[in-house]
């Protein structure tokens, strides 16, 4: 076994230190033991990754995937060794078998893993991006993929336009990362070169200014005001507010929490449940609202306004963004420069179809300067003047503190004036 086994190598492709790379499989008495791989000279468990056979055929180096489990890898090694000694006849035409998984199969497998481990929105976004890649690649098997496929995504991303504007480079880079993670997890070997990744401009965090907030809240009715006070006072994401239930309000502590709602298909991002302290005035306003509420949710959908049997309400509301833009338009806060197209559904002779409509935000509630996540940015930037960065990380539910640190760049220097004047250094500068 050892004489011909030496000419068939078994290794594993896996993620190490944030990079995908090959590592050797441990050998025992001339045979590979795919339960273990060598990392920095030490044997460790091979769990996670794809095994590859490596050998030479007619002077050409062959490298092909052979499974994700130690059993599959060892069986493939024995089979290839037997074929090379002539003890085993190769079955059928070898070329198609050596190509392994198709890209469609790889995407399907990867999305099963994503659905099992990520939220529904993440799953849908990954599926959308991978379908985009699948419709544009000319290749069929993951074994055919290489660096050129990632470069193709970069190039086509720069050509793409949304409402006449080019895609943000971060969006394009994210699309490449999703493709690489998906294909590599299924055994594709795609090596990127230094300098391949286009640099991105670190966009300044946008926040609402006090004068904008005053005008916005002045244009709200009482229910709208409380809704957006929750966005502003907690820094919650859209789905966190939409699924907010009365059990998340901790009346005595003066805190509002984020918790999983399995029945609504909601899991907190990064699986972090948390409580955020808020002013007691906001707790009092919520207490008053609860007196008139019969729903489990704080902000449920309302029954259909003309067909009560059609929409009974009492579900998480998915129209907060439209309401935000409507209030901004009502308050005269639109920038008057946004323009583009939006999609509507029309019924023509009983057939439902899509149609495009042009808009300009000087006459339509569609201003790009008004969006829900900007309330979260405003909350975080203002809270940094009162709490330390670690506390803010917990309040925002960030897994990585580097994500929180971006708000340090957004502090308004004029808001720090009192602290600058009160600094011990100021006495030396008088």
């Amino acid at each position: 076994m050892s004489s011909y086994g030496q000419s068939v190598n078994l290794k594993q492709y896996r993620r190490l230190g944030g990079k995908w790379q090959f590592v050797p499989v441990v050998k025992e008495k001339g045979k590979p033991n795919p339960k273990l791989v060598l990392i920095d000279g030490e044997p460790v468990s091979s769990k996670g990754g794809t095994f590859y056979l490596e050998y030479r055929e007619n002077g050409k180096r062959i490298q092909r995937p052979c499974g994700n489990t130690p059993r599959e890898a060892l069986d493939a090694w024995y089979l290839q060794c037997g074929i090379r000694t002539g003890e085993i006849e190769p079955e059928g035409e070898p070329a198609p078998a050596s190509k392994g998984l198709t890209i469609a199969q790889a995407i399907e497998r990867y999305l099963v893993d994503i659905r099992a481990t990520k939220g529904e929105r993440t799953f849908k976004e990954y599926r959308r991006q991978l379908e985009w890649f699948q419709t544009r690649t000319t290749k069929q098997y993951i074994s055919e993929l290489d660096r050129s496929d990632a470069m193709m995504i970069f190039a086509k991303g720069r050509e793409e336009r949304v409402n006449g504007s080019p895609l943000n480079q971060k969006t394009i880079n994210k699309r490449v990362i999703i493709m690489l993670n998906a294909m590599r997890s299924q055994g594709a070997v795609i090596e990127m070169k230094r300098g391949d990744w286009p640099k991105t401009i670190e966009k300044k965090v946008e926040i609402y200014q006090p004068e904008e907030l005053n005008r916005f809240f002045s244009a709200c009715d009482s229910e709208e005001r409380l809704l957006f006070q929750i966005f502003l006072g907690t820094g919650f994401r859209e789905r966190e507010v939409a699924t907010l239930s009365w059990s998340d309000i901790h009346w005595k502590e003066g805190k509002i929490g984020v918790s999983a709602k399995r029945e609504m298909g909601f899991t907190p991002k990064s699986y972090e449940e948390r409580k955020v302290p808020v002013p007691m005035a906001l707790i009092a306003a919520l207490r008053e609202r609860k007196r008139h509420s019969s729903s489990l949710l704080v902000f449920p959908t309302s029954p259909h306004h003309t067909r009560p049997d059609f929409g009974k309400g009492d579900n998480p509301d998915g129209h907060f963004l439209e309401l935000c833009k409507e209030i901004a338009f009502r308050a005269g806060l639109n920038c008057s420069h946004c323009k583009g197209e939006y999609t509507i559904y029309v019924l023509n002779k009983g057939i439902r179809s899509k149609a495009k409509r042009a808009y300009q935000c000087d006459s339509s509630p569609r201003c790009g300067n008004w969006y829900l996540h900007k309330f979260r940015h405003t909350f975080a930037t203002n809270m940094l003047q009162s709490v330390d960065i670690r506390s803010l990380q917990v309040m925002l539910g960030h897994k990585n503190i580097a994500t929180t640190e971006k708000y340090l760049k957004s502090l308004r220097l004029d808001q720090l004036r009192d602290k600058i004047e009160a600094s011990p250094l100021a006495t030396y500068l008088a």
Side-chain angles (χ1 to χ4, degrees), residues 59-129:
K60 183 180 178 182
R61 178 171 169 262
I62 304 295
Q63 184 172 267
R64 63 180 178 86
C66 59
N68 296 319
T69 68
R71 182 72 266 168
E72 289 173 327
L74 193 58
D75 287 347
W77 183 81
Y78 274 118
L79 176 63
Q80 189 60 39
C81 289
I83 290 172
R84 291 177 70 79
T85 60
E87 295 176 13
I88 300 174
E89 288 286 335
E91 294 183 9
E93 194 67 28
S98 67
K99 291 185 178 180
L101 279 179
T102 66
I103 292 172
Q105 290 170 331
I107 289 174
E108 185 178 354
R109 286 188 182 187
Y110 182 69
L111 288 176
V112 168
D113 294 341
I114 293 300
R115 172 155 261 168
T117 58
K118 305 288 185 184
E120 186 65 18
R121 284 194 172 189
T122 302
F123 167 77
K124 288 180 178 178
E125 176 63 14
Y126 278 34
R127 181 178 63 187
R128 186 173 69 87
Q129 297 295 358

Side-chain angles (χ1 to χ4, degrees), residues 206 208 325 333-335 338 366-371 374:
E206 296 182 340
Y208 294 121
K325 292 181 181 291
L333 290 165
N334 281 18
C335 70
C338 300
R366 296 181 179 275
C367 183
N369 289 340
W370 287 88
Y371 52 93
K374 199 168 177 178

Side-chain angles (χ1 to χ4, degrees), residues 372-389:
L372 299 175
H373 218 69
K374 199 168 177 178
F375 285 100
R376 181 173 168 84
H377 296 330
T378 306
F379 166 82
T381 303
N382 282 273
M383 286 305 297
L384 264 179
Q385 298 170 60
S386 307
V387 302
D388 60 87
I389 191 78

